[in-house]
Amino acid sequence: MEQKVKNKIKEAFDSLLRADYLSLDKVNELEELNDYYVDIFNTTASILQKQDSYISGRRGTGKTTALLKGYYECLKSLKSNSNLLERKILPIYIDLSSCSDLFDGDNIELFEVHFVRQIIDSLKRQLESFYDEKKLLVFKKDNPALDDLEYIEKMLISGNLLSRSRDENITSKSATSDKKSVEACLSSKNLNFSGKADQSTLNEHSKTYTQTRGVNVQEFLNKINDILRKSKIDQTYLFLDEFSDLNSEYQAKFSKLLKSFLGSKTNLFIKIGVITDRFDFGDRIIIGRDIFPIPLDLNEHVERLGGLSIALKKLEETISLLIQKRLIAYSPEITFDSLLKGNKTEIIARIARESLGVTRTVGMILQNAWKQAESNDCKIGLNEINYGIRSARKTYQKQYEGALKIKLIPGFYNDLWNALIAKAIEEKGKNSTRPASHILIAPNRKEYFNVFKENFLIHLLEEGRSSKYGGNYNLYAFDFDICLDLNIKYAENKDEYTARRFVYDTVLANYDSYFTSSKLKSYKCPTCNYIYEEQEVAKAKVKRCFADDSVLDEIVHQSFEIAQGNFAEVEVKILGLIATLKPDEAMTAVEIADSVGCTRQKVSAWCSRVLAPKKQIFIRKGDKNYYYGEE
């Protein structure tokens, strides 16, 4: 195989790692995305609905790709000869992770000004990229109302929006002057008062103050609505990506502004990308009324697809299609089947169980598998896929272990993880031919697994799964490669993973006190280790076990040490990964970005400006900067 072809195959697999490398200024890249995009859950149709919505999913599930696909469909609608939507939609795309300067300061009025400027700048730049210079002039001529955008932008720069929003210095002055003259003459013969007195008073009072009137958002939206009406454009869609890359403080600040955009009745609709369990719209925005979810996580679709087994089968079919479309886009002469050796069904099944709907994981597996294949016969078999799976899992585990090491994740999670693994090994030891890969837990304890989920150590497969022995639970699975590593059989059908032995609530009960101080107290029997909730034994002065009458031990709320700072999820992953790297293992910003799933600029900027000055990480400078955490 020629080196040129090998490189193209590598580019195809690398492109699965993330979509934020695509440039909005290059329409040809969006056209390629449109060609190879695989819409497993019909997400694009949901995005194009006329309602405010948020696209949620774990990091790497394709939120940015879905938003870019929706954005491109809107761009196409502006061309009358290819309007599949039968309406014209003007799209605006903003990456919030690159807008951190918007959030500096506490003045919400100025924040509104900056955000409106960001919208206008993005809109102008994206229109210019979509049309060449000649067509843009025609478009502007046909849509003269777009000149109003120029006017708004100029008024914003000068601090004056529609003559009612401006920064102005106001000085008020007052002056008074009094002059009086009196004459008096005094002699021995007559009394005559003569004298002259002048009195002049000048009082000047000067008061200078700055009055900031923020941009009235509704006023701006009304103006946009006028532009749409005059331009014969039906709607504007505002795509806001990487909301979860903002820390909790910035999310709260932005949500206040977001509320004024939702339901504005001006034909402007919000489409915002968030990471599962890592977003907060505040109490003013009500999900299901003000904004509607579009989920990408596999567990959200299991019931709709007809069960876990059917969902996994559909996932396997999608992975084959996904890979083949990428190869066609980058190297049309190569088919996926021609790159495989051995059992294709087993290869795809392993990729599906390791990735479980996370497209970036598919990319990491294939990227590393191809490295192995290149050094041999350029064929991917089970050995190469197993190497790719192992490499992907190790990368995620490094991020988790590094975050634990520098206390971005509380240390008790390590104890909880070890307890979960011990339970699985114990079940395997009872009968090695039975699966021990899955976990059932009560829904009210689902937050216990959030850290493990976002680090891909445990995967949520289904909510409300009934056990064969009664009760509804959330169904999870250990990472497929962890099961391979521990020689644990992976459950494949409902009769296997709904067994009583998969219920882990007795393990999790030991950690109840870590998650909330307001939770009811628990009591543990020192003899049989059974956990009682407080309401079960509340009436007894002396709490005793119902089974063996032992006096119960109270489980009290525990404290734990955690690093100071308000870190976003992406920052925890970046710092966690770098913290595990020794000087000879140092990685570039691009390599870190590919592993974590963010932009290279985010890595380099945060490391150079924040982490390195605090000596939390170290940088080896050269032609490229290399980052590591251990000297």
Side-chain angles (χ1 to χ4, degrees), residues 249-264:
E249 177 188 351
Y250 289 170
Q251 285 190 24
K253 183 180 288 189
F254 186 77
S255 293
K256 292 179 182 179
L257 179 60
L258 183 63
K259 174 63 177 177
S260 60
F261 280 84
L262 299 176
S264 62

Side-chain angles (χ1 to χ4, degrees), residues 180-194:
K180 296 179 181 179
S181 182
V182 180
E183 292 187 1
C185 183
L186 182 63
S187 68
S188 58
K189 292 183 177 181
N190 45 18
L191 184 64
N192 188 10
F193 187 73
S194 180

